[in-house]
Amino acid sequence: MLSAYCEKSWATPDRDQVERLTYDAADACVRISVLKKDRIPENVPLLILDATADQNLVEKVVGPVAFEQIDIEQKAVVTQVYDHTGSNTWWNEYPKRVDELVLVLNEWVTYGETPLCVSHKDLADTLLAREDLNDRVKVLNFGGLRGSNAAENCSVVFITGRNQLPPPAIDQKARALFWDEGDELKHEETNGDLPKELRGYLLSERYQGQQAGVQVRTFSDPRIEKLHAQEREAETIQAIARLRLVHSPYVKRVFLLGNLPIEMPVDRLVTWGELMPDRLEKELLDKRNLPITALGIVKMRPDITDNNDTAKKMLRRSSVTDIRTLAAVLPDLASATILVATFKAGDGRRTEHKHLFLLEPASAEHDVVVGSIPSKSEIEEILVEGWGQVEGLEIGFWGRG
């Protein structure tokens, strides 16, 4: 009976494959893929506004449309990680990464910013349950952000990964849309990983470096891949759009913590290690000052290490001596107010050393930061306590002398 019904109602002429019916061996059931009919009468004018709409997909749902693309400028500086996917498993199985994310989010609050974090639901629930996450941090999950204006006053967004349905779920939707097209759909033979395709990043004029790309899991059928992109890449664009970047009175910051290329120009590509604070960066953020020579660490911060060779290795691996890399972690105000103290000290022959000092915020209410930069006498007092005596002390903003 089912076979006869399929021949009359579900099959496409001159085709043996019945696209809209599939057998799910895991659940021992037949799945039917059918596009729901819209509730809008055909004689009613329809206007669709969508920043990530695909004309072919829209027309499959509502019929022929007059499609017009309006190019806009989004006021944002975009930094993206290229060495990790930011998958749900990658976050869920390593609590240390969540600790690092909380540290960075809280640091942005310290400087008067209002961060937004967008993630999958499990990570969002974990963040919201953290007592050490500042109340000014807003958290949304991919499933609950469309149309929301809750984050329009946020100044920075961290997108932890990507919204991605399992490949079989995308395939089922594609069957409902494209079942009757002349060319049969090409379905992947496995329910596991999709084949890979090299995709390049869209780079901005500010980007400094060579053209870059990454291997991305994609469907081999371009029609199914278009639908896949609506569920994956387009949802990242939708998440960024919560900052309302088009009409923003100032440039905001976007951090993509996954390597998926999207249709938004990237200003800087970094590794996860460059973006998230290492041990020395954490100490700088915590104590608001840090020696950046090996002997200085041994002398003033033996709690970090009392071994000179170990201190040298830590400094080589850290970003604390590179303001450009350090600026990727810190808010703009933080990197603009880093003081560097240069002086000579040491037992016997005195050598030159450097020590960083950060703004010490007292409060960051109503988007106004109230804080203080240590005076020369306060800096000298801190240094003398560690070194015993210092000579030729000079202080300037980092990068300006």
Side-chain angles (χ1 to χ4, degrees):
M1 290 293 293
L2 179 60
S3 175
Y5 183 76
C6 287
E7 289 178 6
K8 291 181 180 180
S9 305
W10 294 90
T12 303
D14 303 322
R15 186 182 302 176
D16 295 331
Q17 184 175 353
V18 182
E19 291 283 8
R20 293 192 289 179
L21 294 182
T22 54
Y23 178 70
D24 188 328
D27 293 336
C29 68
V30 174
R31 299 197 180 277
I32 304 174
S33 302
V34 180
L35 179 65
K36 279 187 179 181
K37 291 197 176 290
D38 61 70
R39 301 177 182 178
I40 303 171
E42 292 185 3
N43 61 345
V44 174
L46 178 64
L47 174 65
I48 300 174
L49 299 175
D50 194 322
T52 56
D54 180 278
Q55 183 173 359
N56 293 334
L57 296 178
V58 171
E59 291 186 340
K60 280 292 180 181
V61 177
V62 301
V65 296
F67 196 86
E68 183 172 348
Q69 180 173 315
I70 302 174
D71 294 328
I72 51 88
E73 179 184 359
Q74 301 201 72
K75 298 176 182 177
V77 174
V78 181
T79 301
Q80 182 163 11
V81 166
Y82 64 83
D83 61 341
H84 286 288
T85 64
S87 68
N88 296 4
T89 302
W90 192 77
W91 284 101
N92 293 342
E93 294 185 355
Y94 296 92
K96 181 181 177 182
R97 291 169 182 157
V98 182
D99 295 339
E100 293 173 341
L101 178 60
V102 169
L103 175 64
V104 171
L105 291 170
N106 287 343
E107 183 65 14
W108 281 78
V109 173
T110 296
Y111 285 88
E113 308 282 354
T114 305
L116 166 66
C117 181
V118 177
S119 68
H120 64 282
K121 192 172 187 308
D122 286 348
L123 178 55
D125 291 342
T126 297
L127 290 171
L128 291 171
R130 297 269 303 226
E131 294 183 358
D132 57 340
L133 183 68
N134 194 289
D135 292 339
R136 281 174 62 98
V137 178
K138 295 186 182 296
V139 180
L140 294 175
N141 67 75
F142 281 108
L145 57 79
R146 276 185 171 268
S148 172
N149 286 322
E152 64 179 328
N153 293 322
C154 290
S155 54
V156 55
V157 61
F158 290 81
I159 313 292
T160 63
R162 62 191 70 178
N163 183 66
Q164 186 162 305
L165 292 178
I170 299 294
D171 184 82
Q172 288 288 146
K173 290 187 175 185
R175 290 172 183 271
L177 286 178
F178 304 110
W179 70 279
D180 59 348
E181 290 203 346
D183 295 330
E184 291 187 16
L185 288 169
K186 183 189 291 186
H187 303 288
E188 309 309 326
E189 295 182 358
T190 175
N191 289 339
D193 289 333
L194 297 171
K196 289 183 177 181
E197 175 184 279
L198 180 61
R199 288 189 183 175
Y201 291 99
L202 179 61
L203 303 173
S204 75
E205 294 180 354
R206 290 187 290 251
Y207 177 81
Q208 296 181 349
Q210 296 180 338
Q211 179 66 41
V214 66
Q215 296 285 342
V216 178
R217 299 282 181 186
T218 60
F219 285 89
S220 53
D221 191 300
R223 293 163 294 180
I224 304 179
E225 181 55 29
K226 280 187 177 183
L227 185 60
H228 189 209
Q230 284 292 299
E231 299 284 352
R232 187 177 62 178
E233 285 90 331
E235 285 302 315
T236 297
I237 296 292
Q238 289 288 342
I240 296 171
R242 296 314 97 199
L243 293 187
R244 303 307 188 202
L245 298 174
V246 177
H247 299 294
S248 173
Y250 59 95
V251 176
K252 298 186 178 183
R253 298 284 291 277
V254 174
F255 291 91
L256 301 174
L257 306 187
N259 63 1
L260 178 68
I262 60 172
E263 291 185 6
M264 188 165 188
V266 175
D267 299 292
R268 189 165 186 231
L269 289 169
V270 298
T271 65
W272 172 263
E274 289 173 330
L275 189 60
M276 290 294 132
D278 57 35
R279 171 69 190 282
L280 294 183
E281 291 167 20
K282 289 176 183 176
E283 293 293 339
L284 174 62
L285 298 178
D286 181 39
K287 305 297 184 183
R288 317 309 293 179
N289 73 85
L290 182 77
I292 55 171
T293 59
L295 184 57
I297 291 175
V298 171
K299 277 276 191 181
M300 300 194 67
R301 294 299 306 276
D303 56 310
I304 298 177
T305 180
D306 59 1
N307 182 280
N308 196 65
D309 289 338
T310 301
K312 287 181 180 179
K313 291 178 182 178
M314 294 179 74
L315 284 167
R316 281 197 298 267
R317 293 194 296 263
S318 179
S319 299
V320 293
T321 58
D322 180 1
I323 187 59
R324 289 188 61 190
T325 303
L326 187 59
V329 180
L330 298 176
D332 293 338
L333 181 59
S335 57
T337 55
I338 296 176
L339 290 180
V340 57
T342 305
F343 58 94
K344 290 186 176 181
D347 300 328
R349 186 174 68 89
R350 300 191 182 280
T351 54
E352 185 175 275
H353 298 273
K354 291 184 178 181
H355 196 115
L356 299 185
F357 291 84
L358 294 183
L359 174 76
E360 191 75 51
S363 65
E365 299 295 333
H366 307 297
D367 300 322
V368 176
V369 179
V370 178
S372 61
I373 296 175
S375 65
K376 185 173 182 178
S377 60
E378 291 172 330
I379 290 175
E380 187 169 19
E381 184 178 346
I382 292 172
L383 297 176
V384 168
E385 184 178 351
W387 287 96
Q389 187 177 358
V390 298
E391 296 176 356
L393 175 62
E394 294 183 0
I395 302 170
F397 286 105
W398 185 255
R400 302 181 196 172

